[in-house]
Amino acid sequence: MTAYIIRRLLLLPLIMIGVTLIIFSMIWALGPDRLLASYVKSPEALKTPDAAERLIKKYGLDEPMPVQYLKWLGNILQGDFGYSMVGKKGVLPSMLERFPYTLELTIYAIVPVILVAIWLGVISAVNQNKFTDQFIRVFALVGWSLPDFVFGLLLLLVFYSILGWFPPGMVSTEFDLVMRSDEWRTITSMPTFDALLNGRLDIFIDALRHIILPVLTLAYLWWAYLLRITRSSMLEVLRKDYIRTARAKGVPERTVIKKHAKRNAMIPVITVAGGSVMGLLGGTVFVETIFSRVGMGRFLADAASLLDYWSIIGGALFFSFIMVVGNLIVDVSYALVDPRIRLE
């Protein structure tokens, strides 16, 4: 196990270099004229006829691609991702400022996605073709078929516009002023967690009211998908010979399901669950935009609308790194669930 983890960790830099090469090639294909727009902060800099050509030479945008890539990669390794027009500062500080809000949303969403989806998937498989199974399957089918931005707008219409229960945004205005004051201690940059750490239960409840609808929107799609995967995997395992043998020996059904069937059915579920975490992070683009939340998703959406190339590249690298590390964790988790797997 240790040797496998070390080998995978040694491969991480090579994989990330490949990712950076692909991403930079796509941006480089835009040409120097379009890339120049990300360097010019004011139209005044392009007043003279030769200004554009002079700036292209200044920033090396007319150099061969390998030269530009190596310079850019060197800046990345030093933490310089370029200037963000969205954040009005460096790309890396802009992303680090917003990532805790996206992480908070993902943390709250991943619990129902994994725990409840697996639980419902097992129940559905055990009660195959019964009313419980049919009801859960319809629930999963609706969730998988409904786009997250449509579902989010429906939730916003019902629970905010009509009922007024769960407002969009991060926190209410009066609490936002408190969180911006000098007395407020920012520890995690996540409103709900910081509210608890500051001993402000009222702000915690208010922040929770604002995060419920985004969490439901983000979780429902992956909830439904993981539920279907769990059900299919459980049904396949329940048809195995060793399950029939255990039942024939008189092993209690509860033990058969929990000890023999469920654990062996978790291999494909772990793969999808690991991908769902990355999917949740990527799905925040629509959710954060719909519910007016600050985060990486909203950051990338604003960057795309402003053609902020360096912010887009930074966000792509950021999520690529999370995806690579997430896949490593998923692979290692296989051996923990199924001892038959020997990663060495």
Side-chain angles (χ1 to χ4, degrees):
M1 174 70 75
T2 304
Y4 174 79
I5 295 175
I6 292 174
R7 286 198 302 269
R8 288 298 303 268
L9 289 174
L10 291 175
L11 282 174
L12 282 182
L14 297 178
I15 296 173
M16 288 307 301
I17 287 176
V19 170
T20 59
L21 186 59
I22 293 172
I23 293 175
F24 184 81
S25 299
M26 296 173 65
I27 297 296
W28 179 81
L30 294 172
D33 294 329
R34 290 189 178 180
L35 286 177
L36 182 62
S38 61
Y39 289 91
V40 178
K41 301 179 180 63
S42 172
E44 301 293 326
L46 298 176
K47 272 190 171 182
T48 58
D50 62 335
E53 185 178 349
R54 180 166 43 84
L55 289 173
I56 287 174
K57 290 186 177 295
K58 176 183 176 181
Y59 293 114
L61 299 178
D62 58 342
E63 295 178 346
M65 179 192 165
V67 177
Q68 292 189 49
Y69 171 73
L70 290 176
K71 287 183 178 180
W72 173 77
L73 186 61
N75 292 333
I76 292 293
L77 294 176
Q78 296 176 20
D80 182 9
F81 285 68
Y83 178 80
S84 171
M85 292 188 290
V86 176
K88 306 299 182 185
K89 52 185 171 183
V91 172
L92 185 59
S94 298
M95 292 192 300
L96 293 177
E97 181 182 11
R98 290 163 172 79
F99 179 67
Y101 301 112
T102 299
L103 181 62
E104 178 188 37
L105 195 59
T106 305
I107 290 173
Y108 280 107
I110 198 63
V111 174
V113 164
I114 293 182
L115 298 184
V116 179
I118 292 176
W119 175 61
L120 289 177
V122 171
I123 291 176
S124 179
V126 172
N127 297 278
Q128 185 183 13
N129 296 328
K130 296 180 182 178
F131 173 77
T132 303
D133 178 36
Q134 300 293 348
F135 179 80
I136 292 176
R137 289 170 66 185
V138 170
F139 173 79
L141 182 62
V142 172
W144 183 241
S145 304
L146 197 62
D148 50 3
F149 63 89
V150 174
F151 184 59
L153 290 173
L154 289 175
L155 290 179
L156 201 60
L157 173 65
V158 175
F159 292 101
Y160 174 61
S161 297
I162 298 176
L163 299 176
W165 291 353
F166 305 117
M170 306 292 290
V171 291
S172 300
T173 305
E174 62 269 23
F175 292 135
D176 184 58
L177 295 175
V178 174
M179 295 173 66
R180 294 176 184 272
S181 66
D182 295 333
E183 299 177 358
W184 183 264
R185 292 180 300 125
T186 301
I187 301 171
T188 66
S189 295
M190 305 181 198
T192 55
F193 292 95
D194 280 348
L196 291 176
L197 293 174
N198 281 271
R200 293 296 301 267
L201 189 61
D202 53 344
I203 297 181
F204 170 76
I205 294 174
D206 182 76
L208 209 58
R209 287 179 60 236
H210 285 77
I211 205 174
I212 286 177
L213 293 186
V215 166
L216 288 177
T217 304
L218 197 59
Y220 190 27
L221 171 67
W222 289 99
W223 193 357
Y225 181 53
L226 190 59
L227 189 158
R228 296 176 67 190
I229 296 296
T230 303
R231 179 183 181 276
S232 299
S233 182
M234 276 292 296
L235 287 175
E236 182 179 353
V237 170
L238 288 173
R239 298 188 184 102
K240 299 290 185 182
D241 291 338
Y242 62 85
I243 298 295
R244 286 194 289 266
T245 302
R247 285 171 172 166
K249 287 182 176 180
V251 178
E253 186 67 15
R254 186 181 183 88
T255 304
V256 171
I257 298 300
K258 284 195 170 184
K259 186 176 180 180
H260 299 285
K262 186 177 178 181
R263 187 171 184 179
N264 288 294
M266 287 300 104
I267 299 298
V269 176
I270 286 177
T271 306
V272 178
S276 69
V277 176
M278 271 62 81
L280 287 171
L281 287 169
T284 58
V285 174
F286 291 118
V287 174
E288 289 178 349
T289 302
I290 292 171
F291 292 99
S292 302
R293 295 185 62 86
V294 178
M296 283 294 297
R298 179 76 175 273
F299 175 73
L300 289 176
D302 293 341
S305 64
L306 293 175
L307 298 180
D308 187 356
Y309 300 122
W310 301 123
S311 294
I312 296 172
I313 289 179
L317 286 175
F318 188 80
F319 284 116
S320 298
F321 178 76
I322 293 176
M323 180 70 75
V324 171
V325 174
N327 286 332
L328 171 62
I329 295 173
V330 168
D331 290 344
V332 173
S333 300
Y334 288 160
L336 300 177
V337 174
D338 192 345
R340 295 172 300 177
I341 297 177
R342 292 294 179 263
L343 296 175
E344 288 83 4

